C-alpha cells in the first residue's frame, strides 16, 4: 500500500506534468484536488488510497504563445491497514513504477496522456498512516484556438516491489495493481481560458446615390426626382468570448474503505510429533484455513489433521503399533505480530486401534485422551503469511479413557508432558 501511495503520487504528478500548460498571460493561481482510488492488492485486498494534487496553474494563456513549465505536487496518504500488510511480510521499503492517465480537453483536440513514472525507494514505518510526496515539472504547451482548456485526472496502474531490509524480496514479489478512480468525484484539476484567435473585420457597404433626372419643360413644370440614398450598412465584428468555468468548489466525494474484517489464508501442513513416553514419531499432515485481522494481528483458524500411525518399541523389544486420529475442540487462535506467529489449538487425541506384537489389545473407536491437549506453536522471526513457514511447540497428553479392559495398561504408555511437535505451513495452491 505504501507502494500504492508512492506510485499514485509519482504517477499522477508525472501524468499531469506531461499535459499541463504553464503560466501564460496571467499569473498562475494555486489549485488543489483530492481524489480517492480503489486499488486491489495481494494480502490486504482492495484498499482506498487518497491523493491530494496541487499546482500553480494559470487561469489564462494566449493562443500561439508557448508557456513555461511549472511544478505539480501530489501527496498520497497511506492507510494503517496497508502499512500493517507490508510489515506482515517483512517489507522495509517499497519501490517500482506507475502509469497514470490524464486528459487535456482544448478547443482544437482532446488529448489523452499516459505517462510512466518511477517510484523511489520509500521506507515502510512500523505502523500507522504516513504521506508520500512527489513533484514534477510540466513541459511547455501551445494552444492554437481560443476558448477553454480543461485538465482532468484519470486512473493509475501501479507496478510495486516491496523489499526486506536486506534488499531481498518479500512473499509478495513484484505485482501490478490497477487503481480505479472512485466514481462520483470531481476529477477536474483546472480550467484555463485561452485568449486570442481570429476576429471578423467589419464589412461596410458604400452608399448608392441616384443622380436626379431633369426634363426640360414645354408647357409643364419640370419634374424632379429627389435622389435616393441608401445609408451604409455596417456589420459589427462577431467575437466569441471564451467561456470560462471557474474550477468547481464542490468538495470531492470521499469514499472511505472500511478495513477488511479479515484476510483469508489457506495452508497445507506437514510435520511430525514425538510422543515422549514411547519415543515414537507420529507423522502429521493436513491443512489450516486462517482468517487474520490486520488491525489487531489476531487470527482464528480451522485446523484439520489426517489420521496417522504410531510405531514404537516398548522396553526395546516389545513392538507397539497404533492408529492415531485427531479431533479439534473449537478453533485454533493466535497472533501474528512483529513477524512472529503464535497459535493455540485444543486437540483430542484418539487411538482407535492399539496392537502389541501385532495382536490388538484395544479396538475401541472411543479410546481417546480424557481431555483435549493444548498445543501451543510458535514460529521463528520473519514469518511470512504469504510464504508460510515453520512452527514448533510442546504439549501434554491427558490420561486415556474408553480403551477397553486394558485402559489402565495402555494409558500410561502415551500420557504425560514433554511431547513435541514440528510442522511446516505452505500456501495451498488455488
Amino acid at each position: 500500500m505504501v507502494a500504492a501511495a508512492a506510485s499514485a503520487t509519482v504517477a499522477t504528478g508525472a501524468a499531469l506534468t506531461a499535459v499541463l500548460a504553464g503560466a501564460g498571460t496571467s499569473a498562475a493561481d494555486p489549485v488543489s484536488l483530492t481524489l480517492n482510488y480503489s486499488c486491489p492488492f495481494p494480502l490486504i485486498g482492495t484498499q482506498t488510497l487518497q491523493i491530494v494534487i496541487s499546482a500553480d496553474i494559470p487561469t489564462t494563456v494566449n493562443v500561439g504563445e508557448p508557456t513555461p513549465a511549472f511544478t505539480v505536487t501530489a501527496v498520497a496518504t497511506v492507510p494503517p491497514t496497508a502499512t500493517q500488510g507490508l510489515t506482515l511480510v517483512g517489507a522495509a521499503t517499497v519501490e517500482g513504477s506507475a502509469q497514470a492517465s490524464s486528459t487535456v480537453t482544448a478547443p482544437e483536440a482532446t488529448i489523452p496522456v499516459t505517462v510512466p513514472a518511477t517510484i523511489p525507494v520509500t521506507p515502510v514505518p512500523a505502523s500507522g498512516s504516513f504521506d508520500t510526496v512527489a513533484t514534477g515539472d510540466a513541459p511547455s504547451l501551445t494552444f492554437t484556438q481560443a476558448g477553454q482548456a480543461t485538465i482532468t485526472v484519470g486512473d493509475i496502474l501501479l507496478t510495486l516491489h516491496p523489499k526486506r531490509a536486506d534488499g531481498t524480496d518479500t512473499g509478495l514479489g513484484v505485482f501490478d495493481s490497477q487503481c480505479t478512480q472512485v466514481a462520483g468525484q470531481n476529477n477536474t484539476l483546472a480550467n484555463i481560458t485561452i485568449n486570442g484567435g481570429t476576429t471578423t473585420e467589419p464589412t461596410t457597404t458604400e452608399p448608392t446615390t441616384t443622380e436626379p433626372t431633369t426634363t426640360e419643360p414645354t408647357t409643364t413644370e419640370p419634374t424632379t426626382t429627389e435622389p435616393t440614398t441608401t445609408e451604409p450598412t455596417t456589420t459589427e465584428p462577431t467575437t466569441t468570448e471564451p467561456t470560462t468555468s471557474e474550477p468547481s468548489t464542490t468538495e470531492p466525494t470521499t469514499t472511505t474503505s472500511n478495513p477488511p474484517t479479515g484476510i483469508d489464508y489457506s495452508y497445507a501442513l506437514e510435520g511430525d510429533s514425538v510422543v515422549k513416553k514411547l519415543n515414537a514419531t507420529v507423522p502429521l499432515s493436513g491443512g489450516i484455513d486462517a482468517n487474520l485481522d490486520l488491525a489487531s494481528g489476531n487470527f482464528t483458524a480451522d485446523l484439520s489433521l489426517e489420521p496417522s500411525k504410531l510405531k514404537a518399541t516398548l522396553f526395546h523389544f516389545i513392538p507397539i503399533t497404533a492408529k492415531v486420529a485427531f479431533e479439534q475442540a473449537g478453533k485454533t487462535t493466535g497472533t501474528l505480530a512483529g513477524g512472529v506467529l503464535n497459535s493455540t489449538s485444543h486437540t483430542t487425541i484418539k487411538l482407535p486401534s492399539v496392537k502389541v506384537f501385532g495382536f490388538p489389545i484395544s479396538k475401541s473407536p472411543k479410546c481417546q485422551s480424557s481431555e483435549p491437549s493444548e498445543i501451543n506453536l510458535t514460529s521463528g522471526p520473519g514469518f511470512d503469511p504469504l510464504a508460510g513457514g515453520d512452527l514448533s511447540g510442546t504439549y501434554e497428553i491427558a490420561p486415556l479413557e474408553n480403551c477397553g479392559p486394558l485402559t489402565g495398561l495402555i494409558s500410561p504408555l502415551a500420557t504425560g508432558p514433554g511431547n513435541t511437535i514440528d510442522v511446516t505451513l505452505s500456501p495451498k495452491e488455488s
Side-chain angles (χ1 to χ4, degrees):
M1 204 51 183
V2 175
S7 303
T9 298
V10 176
T12 302
L16 291 173
T17 60
V19 298
L20 298 181
T25 57
S26 69
D29 287 346
V31 295
S32 181
L33 178 65
T34 300
L35 288 173
N36 292 317
Y37 290 86
S38 180
C39 303
F41 297 100
L43 180 66
I44 58 175
T46 299
Q47 300 288 305
T48 296
L49 178 70
Q50 185 180 81
I51 305 170
V52 179
I53 303 159
S54 58
D56 290 337
I57 300 177
T59 56
T60 60
V61 297
N62 291 330
V63 166
E65 181 178 312
T67 58
F70 65 93
T71 300
V72 178
T73 302
V75 179
T77 299
V78 182
T81 302
T83 305
Q84 178 70 12
L86 286 170
T87 58
L88 281 177
V89 297
T93 63
V94 293
E95 57 190 273
S97 62
Q99 296 185 64
S101 62
S102 298
T103 303
V104 174
T105 303
E108 59 265 40
T110 297
I111 309 167
V113 178
T114 300
V115 177
T118 299
I119 303 168
V121 175
T122 305
V124 179
S127 62
S129 62
F130 63 100
D131 290 341
T132 60
V133 179
T135 59
D137 292 326
S140 177
L141 188 65
T142 302
F143 294 104
T144 61
Q145 295 181 26
Q148 179 174 279
T150 300
I151 303 164
T152 56
V153 182
D155 295 338
I156 301 168
L157 173 64
L158 309 176
T159 300
L160 309 176
H161 191 180
K163 291 184 178 181
R164 300 179 185 275
D166 61 2
T168 59
D169 288 351
T170 68
L172 291 170
V174 180
F175 64 91
D176 289 338
S177 176
Q178 178 62 64
C179 295
T180 305
Q181 204 171 102
V182 175
Q185 300 181 95
N186 168 27
N187 67 344
T188 299
L189 179 64
N191 293 292
I192 302 174
T193 299
I194 308 166
N195 289 329
T198 303
T199 302
T200 304
E201 293 297 328
T203 301
T204 304
T205 302
E206 292 296 327
T208 302
T209 305
T210 303
E211 293 295 328
T213 303
T214 305
T215 303
E216 291 297 327
T218 52
T219 58
T220 59
E221 293 297 323
T223 300
T224 303
T225 302
E226 293 296 327
T228 301
T229 303
T230 302
E231 293 296 326
T233 301
T234 303
T235 302
E236 294 296 328
T238 301
T239 305
T240 302
E241 293 294 329
T243 302
T244 303
S245 298
E246 293 298 325
S248 173
T249 57
T250 303
E251 292 297 323
T253 302
T254 301
T255 303
T256 302
S257 174
N258 293 325
T261 56
I263 307 299
D264 293 328
Y265 303 93
S266 294
Y267 304 98
L269 179 152
E270 295 288 339
D272 57 53
S273 175
V274 175
V275 179
K276 183 178 180 180
K277 281 285 187 70
L278 292 171
N279 192 28
T281 298
V282 180
L284 299 176
S285 62
I288 184 167
D289 297 317
N291 182 273
L292 173 66
D293 182 345
L294 288 176
S296 65
N298 298 329
F299 70 85
T300 59
D302 293 316
L303 172 66
S304 61
L305 294 173
E306 300 294 331
S308 187
K309 291 183 178 181
L310 175 152
K311 292 182 179 181
T313 301
L314 186 62
F315 305 129
H316 301 289
F317 71 95
I318 301 176
I320 298 176
T321 61
K323 291 182 179 180
V324 185
F326 309 93
E327 182 179 282
Q328 305 307 315
K331 289 184 176 289
T332 295
T333 59
T335 60
L336 177 55
V340 177
L341 184 145
N342 290 281
S343 73
T344 300
S345 303
H346 294 87
T347 304
T348 298
I349 299 171
K350 296 174 174 285
L351 300 175
S353 173
V354 181
K355 295 180 180 180
V356 176
F357 287 115
F359 296 98
I361 62 174
S362 174
K363 296 180 64 177
S364 171
K366 295 183 180 181
C367 179
Q368 64 184 43
S369 56
S370 55
E371 61 183 54
S373 297
E374 181 174 287
I375 303 176
N376 296 304
L377 297 177
T378 302
S379 75
F383 181 87
D384 188 336
L386 290 179
D390 298 330
L391 304 173
S392 61
T394 60
Y395 65 99
E396 182 174 351
I397 300 176
L400 302 180
E401 62 182 8
N402 303 321
C403 299
L406 298 179
T407 296
L409 174 63
I410 297 171
S411 180
L413 299 178
T415 61
N419 308 290
T420 62
I421 183 170
D422 294 277
V423 296
T424 298
L425 303 182
S426 56
K428 286 183 180 179
E429 295 184 4
S430 41

